[in-house]
Amino acid sequence: MEREKVLPRVLLCAPKSGSGKTLITCALLRALVKKGFNPCAFKCGPDFIDPMFHKSVLSVPSRNLDLIMAGEEGVGRSLIEGSKGCDIGIIEGVMGFYDGLGVEEGLGSSYDLCVRTKTPAILIVDAKGMSKSVVAMIKGYLEYGSEHVIKGVILNRVSGAVVSELSTLIKRDLGIPVIAALPSLKDGALESRHLGLVMPSEVPQLLSRVDSVSDELLKSLDMDALMQIANEAGVLNTSEEKPYPQFDVTVGIARDEAFCFYYEENLELLEKMGARIKFFSPIHDRKIPEVSKLIIGGGYPELYAKELSENVSMRDSIKKAADLGMPILAECGGFLYLQEKLKDKEGSEYDMVGALSGSSFMTDKLSHFGYVSVSRALDNPFLMEQDRVRGHEFHYYDTTDNGEAVTVTKLSSGRSWSGYQSKGNVFAGFAHLYYPSCRKVIERFLGM
């Protein structure tokens, strides 16, 4: 049995990172709300932070559309699930439009997502310091690739003196409309740090800034042209999912300033399997809640090392739970928190939970970056011989004991390394695992 849905939608892409995709995506979402629409938001690829900005604007979850981890079927389900009750979808692209897994293939790129989901794209072009050259650059993006999916343009940081002429040239010579044009704005960029953008909670007056940009966007936004492009999107088709096994369990999930990197699909999978979720804060709460399992995701524990260390009662409650056999999944930042020590960027060392061996420290480069497949190397209660879990690594931190429980293989190169510690019922390492790619792992976790 198949499910079908018509969802008007567009993907906002750019020639490169740093072109203003996130802020313009948020501003467009806000502008649509102001015009009476009920939009939904999505992010191409494995990014955690950009969906948080979308959620800050809409107050509803934003989903990842990741062809590498979820496949076409999974992406289709996410589009359908995430668009319930909505009348237009806005997808934020990743990196440059054609950039994906491997230089030649471009798998998982924004372009790849547009082609496989039949979604039209709108190209955001940073036009600062350019005039007619903008037209030549756009022409190259339109003509590259076997499928021509770019249907409109948003000019960012463009001089007001040339907007009208550029719009006329682009329409006349390239046959696509300029949907909107933004001048250089005082608050027209979002700050970044080593893992990408700063968190939404760290941006002073975020909603006010987004409102300001959305008001500016509305001055030039061609809503009719936007909706015409969005309505060109193809019908979404997915098959019905197989029934989920059910577990009567309560799972505590760490969520606060330090631990906030979670795939929405992972949380939904837990709930579809019957799990009740209780969020808690390793920074602010005194102990873990009444639960039978724990999940501690990624984030920025290094920025809150002092606060995490000083919350001794929370650290003790997690250590006691681990020692008594409570099943615990932790990844990246959560993995660092479960170890014995953590050094912040300035080199100050702090006590952590101590459920696992090792100390963590900042390096001056990405330790690992990219999509990975995780398989069993040593006996552990989470992974069986046949299991392959897909995930993503992106971290500047390293530790004195990364573990040897699994083999981590980078999908783009085939290079492998050891990782993950497995101690009792604790399973932790650097890879951000995408649970739907191997449900059996979560079934075992919930069934322990």
Side-chain angles (χ1 to χ4, degrees):
M1 185 176 178
E2 289 195 345
R3 293 189 297 173
E4 286 191 353
K5 178 161 185 175
V6 175
L7 174 66
R9 61 191 182 277
V10 297
L11 181 143
L12 302 185
C13 61
K16 61 183 179 64
S17 296
S19 299
K21 288 194 301 290
T22 301
L23 187 56
I24 291 175
T25 298
C26 290
L28 181 57
L29 289 167
R30 190 77 182 115
L32 287 166
V33 170
K34 290 176 180 178
K35 288 294 185 180
F37 289 91
N38 186 19
C40 49
F42 304 89
K43 171 67 181 180
C44 175
D47 190 283
F48 291 106
I49 300 176
D50 291 349
M52 293 185 207
F53 278 91
H54 305 165
K55 185 176 181 179
S56 295
V57 173
L58 294 180
S59 299
V60 294
S62 173
R63 296 163 184 265
N64 292 80
L65 302 178
D66 197 312
L67 288 163
I68 304 301
M69 291 200 285
E72 285 188 45
E73 189 73 14
V75 163
R77 286 198 191 98
S78 290
L79 276 166
I80 289 176
E81 291 293 323
S83 62
K84 288 178 179 177
C86 298
D87 46 28
I88 182 170
I90 304 297
I91 306 168
E92 181 181 346
V94 61
M95 299 188 294
F97 185 48
Y98 293 100
D99 301 330
L101 181 65
V103 175
E104 184 174 351
E105 298 86 357
L107 299 174
S109 65
S110 300
Y111 169 76
D112 190 23
L113 182 67
C114 285
V115 171
R116 293 212 247 173
T117 62
K118 298 179 176 63
T119 299
I122 294 175
L123 184 69
I124 297 170
V125 178
D126 184 348
K128 186 174 177 62
M130 302 172 70
S131 58
K132 192 176 181 180
S133 296
V134 169
V135 184
M137 184 172 70
I138 295 170
K139 187 174 189 291
Y141 276 83
L142 289 175
E143 294 180 352
Y144 195 79
S146 58
E147 302 284 336
H148 304 302
V149 296
I150 297 175
K151 303 297 182 181
V153 175
I154 293 176
L155 298 176
N156 189 26
R157 301 206 302 168
V158 63
S159 169
V162 299
V163 168
S164 179
E165 289 180 272
L166 279 179
S167 298
T168 299
L169 278 176
I170 291 168
K171 182 65 176 177
R172 186 194 72 192
D173 295 349
L174 306 181
I176 61 173
V178 172
I179 301 300
L182 283 169
S184 292
L185 300 172
K186 179 183 177 182
D187 293 324
L190 297 170
E191 295 78 14
S192 297
R193 62 160 64 96
H194 55 284
L195 294 184
L197 294 176
V198 299
M199 305 300 290
S201 59
E202 299 175 82
V203 180
Q205 299 179 315
L206 174 61
L207 290 180
S208 176
R209 287 176 63 176
V210 171
D211 262 335
S212 177
V213 179
S214 73
D215 287 341
E216 191 65 41
L217 189 71
L218 282 167
K219 292 177 183 178
S220 61
L221 182 61
D222 187 338
M223 189 65 75
D224 290 339
L226 173 65
M227 294 309 300
Q228 183 176 338
I229 293 170
N231 283 316
E232 293 179 21
V235 175
L236 297 169
N237 294 282
T238 64
S239 58
E240 289 288 345
E241 294 183 89
K242 295 178 181 178
Y244 291 90
Q246 295 298 299
F247 300 89
D248 183 18
V249 296
T250 303
V251 180
I253 297 182
R255 176 177 268 179
D256 58 16
E257 304 94 308
F259 306 103
C260 46
F261 293 174
Y262 294 99
Y263 293 120
E264 193 65 31
E265 292 78 16
N266 283 1
L267 302 181
E268 284 189 354
L269 181 60
L270 292 169
E271 292 179 326
K272 286 177 179 178
M273 290 185 177
R276 297 173 297 277
I277 293 175
K278 280 189 179 181
F279 292 108
F280 71 99
S281 169
I283 294 178
H284 304 292
D285 296 333
R286 305 317 302 165
K287 62 179 182 178
I288 62 173
E290 293 294 322
V291 297
S292 57
K293 333 273 177 188
L294 287 179
I295 294 177
I296 309 174
Y300 287 110
E302 65 273 22
L303 300 182
Y304 303 94
K306 184 174 184 291
E307 293 88 340
L308 290 167
S309 183
E310 289 178 347
N311 194 349
V312 177
S313 62
M314 174 59 75
R315 291 195 287 115
D316 287 347
S317 73
I318 295 175
K319 174 69 161 55
K320 181 179 180 181
D323 290 345
L324 291 174
M326 180 180 286
I328 302 176
L329 281 177
E331 55 191 36
C332 208
F335 174 44
L336 307 187
Y337 179 54
L338 289 184
Q339 291 191 319
E340 296 161 311
K341 306 280 186 179
L342 184 152
K343 280 186 180 179
D344 65 15
K345 293 191 295 180
E346 287 71 40
S348 298
E349 190 170 66
Y350 296 92
D351 290 330
M352 293 290 112
V353 171
L356 298 174
S357 62
S359 301
S360 60
F361 52 91
M362 183 76 165
T363 68
D364 60 0
K365 63 180 181 179
L366 279 169
S367 297
H368 289 120
F369 170 57
Y371 292 102
V372 296
S373 175
V374 176
S375 57
R376 187 175 74 166
L378 301 176
D379 285 348
N380 67 79
F382 291 86
L383 288 175
M384 298 296 104
E385 197 69 46
Q386 70 276 12
D387 293 332
R388 298 292 183 273
V389 191
R390 293 211 162 182
H392 191 269
E393 286 202 20
F394 186 89
H395 54 95
Y396 283 82
Y397 263 75
D398 206 345
T399 84
T400 58
D401 187 356
N402 290 338
E404 298 181 337
V406 307
T407 298
V408 184
T409 303
K410 189 168 182 176
L411 295 182
S412 62
S413 66
R415 186 170 67 88
S416 296
W417 58 89
S418 296
Y420 267 72
Q421 289 193 43
S422 178
K423 180 182 177 182
N425 286 330
V426 179
F427 189 62
F430 273 116
H432 294 280
L433 302 180
Y434 189 75
Y435 300 168
S437 68
C438 189
R439 283 193 207 170
K440 289 292 183 183
V441 174
I442 300 306
E443 289 179 23
R444 294 186 197 105
F445 171 66
L446 295 178
M448 286 180 177

mmCIF file of all heavy atoms in Angstrom, residues 285-319:
data_model
loop_
_atom_site.group_PDB
_atom_site.id
_atom_site.type_symbol
_atom_site.label_atom_id
_atom_site.label_comp_id
_atom_site.label_asym_id
_atom_site.label_seq_id
_atom_site.Cartn_x
_atom_site.Cartn_y
_atom_site.Cartn_z
ATOM 1 N N ASP A 285 19.370 19.977 36.191
ATOM 2 C CA ASP A 285 18.692 19.036 37.088
ATOM 3 C C ASP A 285 19.693 18.425 38.062
ATOM 4 O O ASP A 285 20.894 18.325 37.779
ATOM 5 C CB ASP A 285 17.994 17.937 36.290
ATOM 6 C CG ASP A 285 16.877 18.481 35.409
ATOM 7 O OD1 ASP A 285 16.317 19.533 35.764
ATOM 8 O OD2 ASP A 285 16.585 17.863 34.363
ATOM 9 N N ARG A 286 19.193 17.961 39.195
ATOM 10 C CA ARG A 286 20.087 17.406 40.219
ATOM 11 C C ARG A 286 20.389 15.927 40.007
ATOM 12 O O ARG A 286 21.412 15.415 40.468
ATOM 13 C CB ARG A 286 19.484 17.604 41.626
ATOM 14 C CG ARG A 286 19.114 19.027 41.989
ATOM 15 C CD ARG A 286 20.161 20.052 41.569
ATOM 16 N NE ARG A 286 21.482 19.783 42.140
ATOM 17 C CZ ARG A 286 22.600 20.351 41.713
ATOM 18 N NH1 ARG A 286 22.572 21.193 40.699
ATOM 19 N NH2 ARG A 286 23.755 20.061 42.270
ATOM 20 N N LYS A 287 19.485 15.216 39.342
ATOM 21 C CA LYS A 287 19.716 13.794 39.084
ATOM 22 C C LYS A 287 18.885 13.381 37.884
ATOM 23 O O LYS A 287 18.020 14.126 37.419
ATOM 24 C CB LYS A 287 19.350 12.957 40.299
ATOM 25 C CG LYS A 287 17.879 13.045 40.689
ATOM 26 C CD LYS A 287 17.584 12.166 41.896
ATOM 27 C CE LYS A 287 16.088 12.225 42.247
ATOM 28 N NZ LYS A 287 15.758 11.348 43.391
ATOM 29 N N ILE A 288 19.127 12.168 37.380
ATOM 30 C CA ILE A 288 18.348 11.679 36.246
ATOM 31 C C ILE A 288 16.915 11.409 36.693
ATOM 32 O O ILE A 288 16.665 11.136 37.864
ATOM 33 C CB ILE A 288 18.976 10.405 35.629
ATOM 34 C CG1 ILE A 288 19.016 9.262 36.644
ATOM 35 C CG2 ILE A 288 20.359 10.698 35.078
ATOM 36 C CD1 ILE A 288 19.474 7.934 36.050
ATOM 37 N N PRO A 289 15.953 11.490 35.765
ATOM 38 C CA PRO A 289 14.558 11.210 36.124
ATOM 39 C C PRO A 289 14.323 9.721 36.327
ATOM 40 O O PRO A 289 15.234 8.900 36.131
ATOM 41 C CB PRO A 289 13.782 11.749 34.910
ATOM 42 C CG PRO A 289 14.742 11.643 33.774
ATOM 43 C CD PRO A 289 16.105 11.905 34.354
ATOM 44 N N GLU A 290 13.100 9.366 36.702
ATOM 45 C CA GLU A 290 12.730 7.951 36.875
ATOM 46 C C GLU A 290 12.550 7.316 35.502
ATOM 47 O O GLU A 290 11.496 7.431 34.869
ATOM 48 C CB GLU A 290 11.437 7.839 37.687
ATOM 49 C CG GLU A 290 11.570 8.289 39.134
ATOM 50 C CD GLU A 290 12.496 7.380 39.923
ATOM 51 O OE1 GLU A 290 12.463 6.151 39.690
ATOM 52 O OE2 GLU A 290 13.263 7.894 40.759
ATOM 53 N N VAL A 291 13.596 6.677 35.025
ATOM 54 C CA VAL A 291 13.595 6.066 33.693
ATOM 55 C C VAL A 291 14.323 4.732 33.762
ATOM 56 O O VAL A 291 14.983 4.411 34.756
ATOM 57 C CB VAL A 291 14.284 6.984 32.653
ATOM 58 C CG1 VAL A 291 13.519 8.301 32.484
ATOM 59 C CG2 VAL A 291 15.738 7.261 33.032
ATOM 60 N N SER A 292 14.205 3.968 32.661
ATOM 61 C CA SER A 292 14.908 2.683 32.611
ATOM 62 C C SER A 292 16.040 2.672 31.589
ATOM 63 O O SER A 292 16.815 1.712 31.543
ATOM 64 C CB SER A 292 13.915 1.561 32.283
ATOM 65 O OG SER A 292 13.254 1.824 31.056
ATOM 66 N N LYS A 293 16.161 3.714 30.759
ATOM 67 C CA LYS A 293 17.241 3.853 29.771
ATOM 68 C C LYS A 293 17.646 5.319 29.690
ATOM 69 O O LYS A 293 16.864 6.207 30.032
ATOM 70 C CB LYS A 293 16.801 3.411 28.359
ATOM 71 C CG LYS A 293 15.700 2.378 28.289
ATOM 72 C CD LYS A 293 16.235 0.987 28.356
ATOM 73 C CE LYS A 293 15.066 -0.017 28.358
ATOM 74 N NZ LYS A 293 15.525 -1.378 28.609
ATOM 75 N N LEU A 294 18.854 5.544 29.185
ATOM 76 C CA LEU A 294 19.324 6.904 28.968
ATOM 77 C C LEU A 294 19.913 7.065 27.576
ATOM 78 O O LEU A 294 20.556 6.144 27.053
ATOM 79 C CB LEU A 294 20.408 7.279 29.985
ATOM 80 C CG LEU A 294 20.021 7.541 31.438
ATOM 81 C CD1 LEU A 294 21.276 7.876 32.247
ATOM 82 C CD2 LEU A 294 19.008 8.668 31.543
ATOM 83 N N ILE A 295 19.690 8.235 26.978
ATOM 84 C CA ILE A 295 20.362 8.627 25.744
ATOM 85 C C ILE A 295 20.966 10.014 25.975
ATOM 86 O O ILE A 295 20.275 10.927 26.424
ATOM 87 C CB ILE A 295 19.391 8.662 24.544
ATOM 88 C CG1 ILE A 295 18.882 7.253 24.232
ATOM 89 C CG2 ILE A 295 20.079 9.264 23.311
ATOM 90 C CD1 ILE A 295 17.851 7.204 23.111
ATOM 91 N N ILE A 296 22.264 10.140 25.685
ATOM 92 C CA ILE A 296 22.941 11.428 25.832
ATOM 93 C C ILE A 296 23.557 11.770 24.480
ATOM 94 O O ILE A 296 24.540 11.154 24.059
ATOM 95 C CB ILE A 296 24.016 11.388 26.940
ATOM 96 C CG1 ILE A 296 23.427 10.834 28.239
ATOM 97 C CG2 ILE A 296 24.587 12.794 27.167
ATOM 98 C CD1 ILE A 296 24.446 10.634 29.343
ATOM 99 N N GLY A 297 22.972 12.739 23.804
ATOM 100 C CA GLY A 297 23.376 13.066 22.449
ATOM 101 C C GLY A 297 24.565 14.001 22.396
ATOM 102 O O GLY A 297 25.234 14.290 23.392
ATOM 103 N N GLY A 298 24.815 14.500 21.194
ATOM 104 C CA GLY A 298 25.926 15.413 20.983
ATOM 105 C C GLY A 298 25.559 16.839 21.322
ATOM 106 O O GLY A 298 24.443 17.148 21.722
ATOM 107 N N GLY A 299 26.522 17.716 21.147
ATOM 108 C CA GLY A 299 26.302 19.123 21.426
ATOM 109 C C GLY A 299 27.614 19.817 21.726
ATOM 110 O O GLY A 299 28.631 19.581 21.075
ATOM 111 N N TYR A 300 27.606 20.658 22.747
ATOM 112 C CA TYR A 300 28.780 21.449 23.103
ATOM 113 C C TYR A 300 29.115 21.318 24.588
ATOM 114 O O TYR A 300 29.138 22.307 25.315
ATOM 115 C CB TYR A 300 28.540 22.923 22.782
ATOM 116 C CG TYR A 300 28.548 23.269 21.322
ATOM 117 C CD1 TYR A 300 27.375 23.639 20.673
ATOM 118 C CD2 TYR A 300 29.738 23.264 20.591
ATOM 119 C CE1 TYR A 300 27.380 23.981 19.332
ATOM 120 C CE2 TYR A 300 29.750 23.612 19.248
ATOM 121 C CZ TYR A 300 28.569 23.972 18.624
ATOM 122 O OH TYR A 300 28.578 24.316 17.293
ATOM 123 N N PRO A 301 29.399 20.110 25.097
ATOM 124 C CA PRO A 301 29.751 19.987 26.517
ATOM 125 C C PRO A 301 31.013 20.763 26.873
ATOM 126 O O PRO A 301 31.173 21.191 28.016
ATOM 127 C CB PRO A 301 29.937 18.482 26.711
ATOM 128 C CG PRO A 301 30.271 17.962 25.348
ATOM 129 C CD PRO A 301 29.460 18.807 24.407
ATOM 130 N N GLU A 302 31.902 20.959 25.888
ATOM 131 C CA GLU A 302 33.138 21.691 26.163
ATOM 132 C C GLU A 302 32.884 23.150 26.545
ATOM 133 O O GLU A 302 33.689 23.773 27.249
ATOM 134 C CB GLU A 302 34.084 21.629 24.955
ATOM 135 C CG GLU A 302 33.597 22.312 23.696
ATOM 136 C CD GLU A 302 32.745 21.426 22.804
ATOM 137 O OE1 GLU A 302 32.179 20.437 23.313
ATOM 138 O OE2 GLU A 302 32.655 21.722 21.602
ATOM 139 N N LEU A 303 31.749 23.709 26.095
ATOM 140 C CA LEU A 303 31.414 25.090 26.443
ATOM 141 C C LEU A 303 30.802 25.191 27.834
ATOM 142 O O LEU A 303 30.719 26.289 28.401
ATOM 143 C CB LEU A 303 30.441 25.672 25.414
ATOM 144 C CG LEU A 303 30.908 25.723 23.962
ATOM 145 C CD1 LEU A 303 29.846 26.379 23.096
ATOM 146 C CD2 LEU A 303 32.232 26.466 23.837
ATOM 147 N N TYR A 304 30.359 24.067 28.368
ATOM 148 C CA TYR A 304 29.694 24.048 29.674
ATOM 149 C C TYR A 304 30.379 23.054 30.609
ATOM 150 O O TYR A 304 29.745 22.507 31.515
ATOM 151 C CB TYR A 304 28.216 23.691 29.499
ATOM 152 C CG TYR A 304 27.492 24.642 28.567
ATOM 153 C CD1 TYR A 304 27.368 24.352 27.206
ATOM 154 C CD2 TYR A 304 26.971 25.839 29.039
ATOM 155 C CE1 TYR A 304 26.729 25.229 26.349
ATOM 156 C CE2 TYR A 304 26.331 26.722 28.188
ATOM 157 C CZ TYR A 304 26.221 26.412 26.834
ATOM 158 O OH TYR A 304 25.593 27.297 25.999
ATOM 159 N N ALA A 305 31.675 22.846 30.395
ATOM 160 C CA ALA A 305 32.402 21.839 31.177
ATOM 161 C C ALA A 305 32.371 22.154 32.666
ATOM 162 O O ALA A 305 32.210 21.251 33.504
ATOM 163 C CB ALA A 305 33.847 21.743 30.682
ATOM 164 N N LYS A 306 32.534 23.414 33.022
ATOM 165 C CA LYS A 306 32.527 23.805 34.437
ATOM 166 C C LYS A 306 31.176 23.504 35.078
ATOM 167 O O LYS A 306 31.107 22.917 36.163
ATOM 168 C CB LYS A 306 32.857 25.291 34.563
ATOM 169 C CG LYS A 306 32.988 25.808 35.999
ATOM 170 C CD LYS A 306 33.458 27.262 35.985
ATOM 171 C CE LYS A 306 33.686 27.780 37.410
ATOM 172 N NZ LYS A 306 32.421 27.925 38.157
ATOM 173 N N GLU A 307 30.088 23.900 34.388
ATOM 174 C CA GLU A 307 28.742 23.670 34.927
ATOM 175 C C GLU A 307 28.436 22.172 35.038
ATOM 176 O O GLU A 307 27.855 21.726 36.038
ATOM 177 C CB GLU A 307 27.698 24.348 34.042
ATOM 178 C CG GLU A 307 27.752 25.868 34.053
ATOM 179 C CD GLU A 307 28.705 26.442 33.024
ATOM 180 O OE1 GLU A 307 29.608 25.710 32.548
ATOM 181 O OE2 GLU A 307 28.550 27.628 32.687
ATOM 182 N N LEU A 308 28.839 21.407 34.027
ATOM 183 C CA LEU A 308 28.600 19.959 34.066
ATOM 184 C C LEU A 308 29.385 19.314 35.202
ATOM 185 O O LEU A 308 28.882 18.429 35.898
ATOM 186 C CB LEU A 308 28.991 19.334 32.727
ATOM 187 C CG LEU A 308 28.088 19.659 31.537
ATOM 188 C CD1 LEU A 308 28.754 19.247 30.231
ATOM 189 C CD2 LEU A 308 26.733 18.978 31.678
ATOM 190 N N SER A 309 30.621 19.751 35.368
ATOM 191 C CA SER A 309 31.463 19.178 36.411
ATOM 192 C C SER A 309 30.949 19.518 37.801
ATOM 193 O O SER A 309 30.968 18.678 38.718
ATOM 194 C CB SER A 309 32.900 19.685 36.248
ATOM 195 O OG SER A 309 33.759 19.094 37.202
ATOM 196 N N GLU A 310 30.487 20.760 37.977
ATOM 197 C CA GLU A 310 30.027 21.194 39.295
ATOM 198 C C GLU A 310 28.709 20.551 39.718
ATOM 199 O O GLU A 310 28.373 20.534 40.903
ATOM 200 C CB GLU A 310 29.889 22.722 39.309
ATOM 201 C CG GLU A 310 31.238 23.440 39.291
ATOM 202 C CD GLU A 310 31.102 24.948 39.260
ATOM 203 O OE1 GLU A 310 29.967 25.444 39.001
ATOM 204 O OE2 GLU A 310 32.112 25.634 39.477
ATOM 205 N N ASN A 311 27.960 19.997 38.748
ATOM 206 C CA ASN A 311 26.707 19.311 39.079
ATOM 207 C C ASN A 311 27.036 17.869 39.475
ATOM 208 O O ASN A 311 26.760 16.911 38.757
ATOM 209 C CB ASN A 311 25.743 19.351 37.896
ATOM 210 C CG ASN A 311 24.325 18.953 38.293
ATOM 211 O OD1 ASN A 311 24.083 18.462 39.391
ATOM 212 N ND2 ASN A 311 23.385 19.172 37.401
ATOM 213 N N VAL A 312 27.643 17.743 40.652
ATOM 214 C CA VAL A 312 28.150 16.445 41.111
ATOM 215 C C VAL A 312 27.028 15.435 41.299
ATOM 216 O O VAL A 312 27.177 14.250 40.983
ATOM 217 C CB VAL A 312 28.944 16.629 42.429
ATOM 218 C CG1 VAL A 312 29.415 15.270 42.951
ATOM 219 C CG2 VAL A 312 30.136 17.554 42.214
ATOM 220 N N SER A 313 25.881 15.874 41.803
ATOM 221 C CA SER A 313 24.786 14.934 42.057
ATOM 222 C C SER A 313 24.284 14.310 40.763
ATOM 223 O O SER A 313 23.938 13.123 40.730
ATOM 224 C CB SER A 313 23.641 15.634 42.794
ATOM 225 O OG SER A 313 23.099 16.682 42.013
ATOM 226 N N MET A 314 24.260 15.092 39.657
ATOM 227 C CA MET A 314 23.850 14.530 38.371
ATOM 228 C C MET A 314 24.894 13.534 37.873
ATOM 229 O O MET A 314 24.551 12.431 37.420
ATOM 230 C CB MET A 314 23.658 15.649 37.342
ATOM 231 C CG MET A 314 23.376 15.157 35.917
ATOM 232 S SD MET A 314 21.901 14.115 35.771
ATOM 233 C CE MET A 314 20.619 15.363 35.892
ATOM 234 N N ARG A 315 26.161 13.910 37.971
ATOM 235 C CA ARG A 315 27.215 12.990 37.523
ATOM 236 C C ARG A 315 27.158 11.683 38.312
ATOM 237 O O ARG A 315 27.280 10.585 37.737
ATOM 238 C CB ARG A 315 28.592 13.641 37.684
ATOM 239 C CG ARG A 315 28.835 14.797 36.737
ATOM 240 C CD ARG A 315 30.315 15.182 36.656
ATOM 241 N NE ARG A 315 30.799 15.865 37.845
ATOM 242 C CZ ARG A 315 31.719 15.379 38.674
ATOM 243 N NH1 ARG A 315 32.234 14.182 38.470
ATOM 244 N NH2 ARG A 315 32.118 16.082 39.728
ATOM 245 N N ASP A 316 26.951 11.802 39.610
ATOM 246 C CA ASP A 316 26.886 10.599 40.449
ATOM 247 C C ASP A 316 25.685 9.724 40.096
ATOM 248 O O ASP A 316 25.786 8.487 40.106
ATOM 249 C CB ASP A 316 26.817 10.994 41.927
ATOM 250 C CG ASP A 316 28.141 11.524 42.462
ATOM 251 O OD1 ASP A 316 29.160 11.360 41.767
ATOM 252 O OD2 ASP A 316 28.144 12.108 43.563
ATOM 253 N N SER A 317 24.549 10.353 39.788
ATOM 254 C CA SER A 317 23.350 9.562 39.474
ATOM 255 C C SER A 317 23.524 8.806 38.160
ATOM 256 O O SER A 317 23.057 7.669 38.023
ATOM 257 C CB SER A 317 22.109 10.460 39.428
ATOM 258 O OG SER A 317 22.080 11.281 38.274
ATOM 259 N N ILE A 318 24.198 9.410 37.190
ATOM 260 C CA ILE A 318 24.450 8.719 35.915
ATOM 261 C C ILE A 318 25.462 7.601 36.109
ATOM 262 O O ILE A 318 25.294 6.489 35.589
ATOM 263 C CB ILE A 318 24.920 9.719 34.842
ATOM 264 C CG1 ILE A 318 23.805 10.714 34.514
ATOM 265 C CG2 ILE A 318 25.351 8.978 33.572
ATOM 266 C CD1 ILE A 318 24.213 11.815 33.553
ATOM 267 N N LYS A 319 26.511 7.878 36.880
ATOM 268 C CA LYS A 319 27.537 6.848 37.143
ATOM 269 C C LYS A 319 26.914 5.661 37.871
ATOM 270 O O LYS A 319 27.174 4.493 37.525
ATOM 271 C CB LYS A 319 28.647 7.462 38.005
ATOM 272 C CG LYS A 319 29.725 6.476 38.476
ATOM 273 C CD LYS A 319 30.579 5.985 37.323
ATOM 274 C CE LYS A 319 31.902 5.398 37.800
ATOM 275 N NZ LYS A 319 31.801 4.338 38.793
#
